[in-house]
Amino acid sequence: MAELIAQNLAPIMFVALVVFLLLGYPVAFALAANGLLFFFIAVELAPLAPETINLSWPLLQAMPDRVYGTMSNEVLLAIPFFTFMGYILERSGMAEDLLDTIGQLFGPVRGGLAYAVVFVGALLAATTGVVAASVISMGLISLPIMLRYGYDRRLASGIIAASGTLAQIIPPSLVLIVMADQLGRSVGDMYEGAFLPGLILSGLYASYIFLASMINPKAAPGLPLEAIGYREPNGSRGVWQLGVLVLFSGLVGYYVLSQTETRAGADFVILTICVSTVVALICALMNKAFGARRLVGSVVVTAALVGLYLFLQQQNNEALALTTEMVAAGAVYALAVGLIERFTGFRLMSRMAEQVTFVMVPPLLLIFLVLGTIFIGLATPTEGGAMGALGAVLLAAAKRRIDNNPNRFNFTIIRQATEATAKLSAFVLFILIGARVFSLTFYGVNGHIWVEHLLTSLPGGQVGFLVFVNILVFFLAFFLDFFELAFIIIPLLGPAAEKLGIDLIWFGVMLGVNMQTSFMHPPFGFALFFLRSVAPKVPYVDRVTGKRMEPVTTGQIYWGSVPFVCIQLIMVAIVVLFPQIVMHYKAAGPVVDPEAVQQKLDELLIPGLGAPGEPGGLPGLPGLNFDEPPKIQ
């Protein structure tokens, strides 16, 4: 009996861990306790199964080194940086500004508020990477407005919770950092691979809103006209002027990028967004500073910028010339707007265009600061996170100064963000240390070989493996959150996937989309808990209309999440069926020209060694012949 236990210690250990977790013990301590308990058992049973158990008492001394290696991992240092950045932006009111402005932009459209929530959810995901911050912000701000104007409670709850979970898959996602670390791959590649799937998933959410609003118009009505602000003096909304500004800025951004070294995939998209947002901001600022009332100043500034651009081009100062070109393009647009308004009375820069520009440009520039520097190789994810955290602090301080509102940024906000960051970082670190303790024993009893053989022997090869893994992760997500899944399951699945020839970046993105459902699963989805904490639990009186509003029940929140869990599973299928939406990250890598390499090697050949088969030329030494083995005399 003891020999049978010794030879099957790996599956027994895994089952024991599942039992510990089902009993409700904290994951970190369940992992560590399970690992230490079975270490003692394995050492005692080692003589009975020497070919299976490779553990001894001296090996326990390696544990401090494993813990120290975890704590000194610089990649994981990006987690507290991105968490701090997210909490600062959420508490400084940026989410409220975005939701208010984008809600006004989409408001009259049927389902407009729901579209705004998806759009802002994607934007917050790309700037914060924190699910809790996104869901709570949108739940506090958008849910009362959606209920006020008659949105179906299930649709409103589901779209807020689902949009908040976009922070799981849209970079800079915390789970992608952990996934890359556990799979031994670059975080930058993981971010680049997840970029398109995140955008496609946002589009699927919007498509569902469109279908729901077409089938049942009362479930997602448009805002009434009296609720729409940012109007022009003639009563129009000025949306098409925003379209003209976006088109102009996009064309300038594309033109500027086309003059530089061509980049592929997400690199080009992110850099184009950056240049376009900067141009749009310059257009809005120039128009506000000069406009139709200060045409002389606008003409002088535009002429000076164009002249400086031409001078820098002659000096071959490419970087400054491109920067000046962007500023000059914004000045030219503002001058054209001013001239048209002065001589025709027609406004080409509407209040809506200005408001959207001033509200959206800061977070979009922060996206570039974080993702752009990572994608183009200028910064590591940790350095990008540090710049993002600093950028969030500066952005919040600027908001306080511009709005003259101390609630935008103060010491209390910094303290709360620091405490929340410390709690999340400690939570992640304890789970990771527990996982290290568990893996030391599990690998010592050849558990990884057992799992690898189990997974690679599944019928169907790669297809069978992917089907089994996705079903396994989906059901485990009912009970475990994404950190626990990443630290426990991913290290076991990665080697088997690599042995089957599966690209680990693609595999990680696919599992990231699947693990996203862990936030939406009734009854343990964290996004549902976050929304439940801020959704009205009792009847209340709306502060605008004065009407008595019914509360949002837990059942409505749960039922509202079901369609979006299905959409997330559809996205998993899309990633599996169309791997190129992830694999494009390889096209952005450096391309090596074999002929250029060979030419460089020929230039570096040392005279005297010669080419293969030629005499060496060094006095007293025979020529080296690489085609024949050396002869020993």
Side-chain angles (χ1 to χ4, degrees):
M1 184 64 180
E3 186 175 349
L4 180 64
I5 294 174
Q7 296 197 351
N8 295 278
L9 206 57
I12 294 173
M13 184 178 178
F14 189 79
V15 171
L17 175 63
V18 174
V19 172
F20 270 113
L21 295 176
L22 291 177
L23 289 175
Y25 287 100
V27 176
F29 302 118
L31 283 167
N34 202 44
L36 289 175
L37 173 64
F38 277 89
F39 185 93
F40 298 145
I41 296 173
V43 171
E44 294 299 324
L45 296 179
L48 299 177
E51 70 284 353
T52 304
I53 302 176
N54 305 305
L55 294 174
S56 59
W57 292 115
L59 192 61
L60 201 59
Q61 298 174 2
M63 186 56 63
D65 289 336
R66 293 174 70 86
V67 173
Y68 180 75
T70 300
M71 298 174 66
S72 59
N73 189 336
E74 289 189 4
V75 174
L76 296 178
L77 190 60
I79 291 177
F81 282 136
F82 284 127
T83 306
F84 181 80
M85 179 180 73
Y87 281 115
I88 287 290
L89 291 175
E90 184 258 329
R91 284 168 169 76
S92 66
M94 187 197 74
E96 185 174 355
D97 293 343
L98 282 170
L99 283 166
D100 176 63
T101 303
I102 305 303
Q104 290 288 330
L105 179 63
F106 289 107
V109 181
R110 185 186 298 170
L113 286 176
Y115 291 126
V117 167
V118 173
F119 185 87
V120 174
L123 203 57
L124 289 178
T127 52
T128 65
V130 182
V131 174
S134 298
V135 174
I136 291 173
S137 297
M138 293 190 292
L140 286 171
I141 301 162
S142 292
L143 186 58
I145 302 174
M146 297 172 84
L147 298 180
R148 179 183 306 151
Y149 293 111
Y151 271 70
D152 180 81
R153 281 166 164 71
R154 290 175 297 179
L155 177 64
S157 302
I159 196 63
I160 290 174
S163 299
T165 61
L166 289 173
Q168 277 284 96
I169 193 64
I170 294 181
S173 163
L174 300 184
V175 71
L176 293 179
I177 297 174
V178 176
M179 192 82 71
D181 177 70
Q182 295 299 303
L183 292 174
R185 291 297 183 266
S186 163
V187 178
D189 287 344
M190 192 69 77
Y191 277 0
E192 199 156 353
F195 187 74
L196 282 181
L199 296 181
I200 293 172
L201 186 58
S202 304
L204 291 178
Y205 288 168
S207 301
Y208 173 74
I209 295 168
F210 176 77
L211 291 175
S213 62
M214 293 297 292
I215 295 172
N216 183 11
K218 293 183 179 180
L223 290 182
L225 294 179
E226 60 270 15
I228 305 299
Y230 305 114
R231 291 188 177 277
E232 295 300 286
N234 61 2
S236 65
R237 299 188 60 232
V239 175
W240 71 266
Q241 287 96 326
L242 175 62
V244 172
L245 177 61
V246 170
L247 179 62
F248 174 80
S249 304
L251 290 175
V252 172
Y254 183 84
Y255 175 74
V256 170
L257 262 294
S258 64
Q259 293 179 285
T260 62
E261 181 183 352
T262 303
R263 299 183 182 274
D267 290 7
F268 189 84
V269 175
I270 289 292
L271 293 174
T272 303
I273 290 174
C274 172
V275 174
S276 301
T277 50
V278 170
V279 172
L281 180 62
I282 293 170
C283 292
L285 289 174
M286 288 283 187
N287 181 72
K288 203 168 186 67
F290 298 103
R293 297 181 179 179
R294 301 183 181 90
L295 280 181
V296 175
S298 184
V299 170
V300 171
V301 170
T302 303
L305 288 170
V306 172
L308 179 61
Y309 166 67
L310 296 174
F311 172 76
L312 290 172
Q313 267 199 327
Q314 291 179 350
Q315 300 297 317
N316 292 325
N317 194 330
E318 189 174 330
L320 283 178
L322 289 175
T323 304
T324 309
E325 183 180 16
M326 292 161 51
V327 180
V332 168
Y333 186 85
L335 177 59
V337 169
L339 288 171
I340 291 173
E341 185 176 351
R342 168 67 67 87
F343 294 108
T344 67
F346 187 75
R347 281 174 57 86
L348 196 58
M349 180 69 77
S350 64
R351 289 184 60 200
M352 178 64 77
E354 284 188 350
Q355 178 68 15
V356 172
T357 302
F358 289 138
V359 168
M360 282 189 58
V361 164
L364 284 174
L365 288 180
L366 198 59
I367 292 173
F368 169 75
L369 182 67
V370 176
L371 298 184
T373 52
I374 295 173
F375 284 1
I376 66 178
L378 188 62
T380 65
T382 302
E383 294 166 346
M387 288 190 294
L390 178 60
V393 171
L394 295 177
L395 183 59
K399 284 280 188 181
R400 168 177 173 159
R401 176 80 180 195
I402 294 171
D403 296 347
N404 196 23
N405 183 0
N407 293 327
R408 287 285 194 181
F409 183 69
N410 51 47
F411 181 76
T412 302
I413 290 177
I414 294 179
R415 178 177 57 79
Q416 291 174 347
T418 305
E419 289 177 354
T421 301
K423 289 178 182 178
L424 180 63
S425 302
F427 168 74
V428 173
L429 188 61
F430 269 101
I431 291 180
L432 188 52
I433 291 174
R436 290 291 187 185
V437 177
F438 178 84
S439 65
L440 175 67
T441 304
F442 195 68
Y443 278 60
V445 297
N446 286 339
H448 59 299
I449 298 176
W450 169 70
V451 172
E452 186 176 313
H453 287 171
L454 181 67
L455 295 176
T456 54
S457 60
L458 290 169
Q462 285 188 1
V463 176
F465 171 77
L466 292 174
V467 170
F468 173 79
V469 164
N470 277 296
I471 293 175
L472 174 68
V473 170
F474 178 76
F475 281 105
L476 286 177
F478 275 95
F479 312 103
L480 303 174
D481 73 0
F482 71 95
F483 277 127
E484 295 158 358
L485 287 169
F487 288 133
I488 299 173
I489 303 300
I490 301 305
L492 302 178
L493 301 178
E498 191 169 22
K499 191 169 184 179
L500 289 170
I502 296 173
D503 183 88
L504 290 187
I505 295 293
W506 175 82
F507 185 66
V509 172
M510 180 196 68
L511 289 185
V513 178
N514 196 332
M515 290 162 60
Q516 189 177 355
T517 60
S518 68
F519 275 94
M520 296 291 292
H521 275 318
F524 301 117
F526 280 91
L528 308 182
F529 290 159
F530 296 146
L531 184 59
R532 174 70 280 174
S533 67
V534 296
K537 303 178 182 64
V538 295
Y540 67 98
V541 177
D542 185 74
R543 60 184 179 84
V544 175
T545 62
K547 295 181 180 179
R548 185 179 185 275
M549 306 294 293
E550 294 299 320
V552 178
T553 66
T554 303
Q556 289 170 338
I557 294 176
Y558 283 171
W559 280 111
S561 69
V562 172
F564 295 95
V565 172
C566 297
I567 291 173
Q568 289 167 348
L569 294 179
I570 292 172
M571 189 64 219
V572 173
I574 291 174
V575 173
V576 173
L577 295 174
F578 304 99
Q580 59 270 25
I581 66 175
V582 175
M583 300 298 289
H584 71 86
Y585 81 92
K586 288 188 174 182
V591 178
V592 179
D593 184 2
E595 295 183 1
V597 173
Q598 184 60 48
Q599 182 180 358
K600 193 66 176 177
L601 288 175
D602 293 341
E603 294 174 359
L604 294 175
L605 281 175
I606 303 174
L609 293 182
E614 295 180 358
L618 293 177
L621 289 178
L624 296 178
N625 191 336
F626 296 96
D627 296 328
E628 298 180 4
K631 297 178 180 180
I632 301 176
Q633 298 180 354

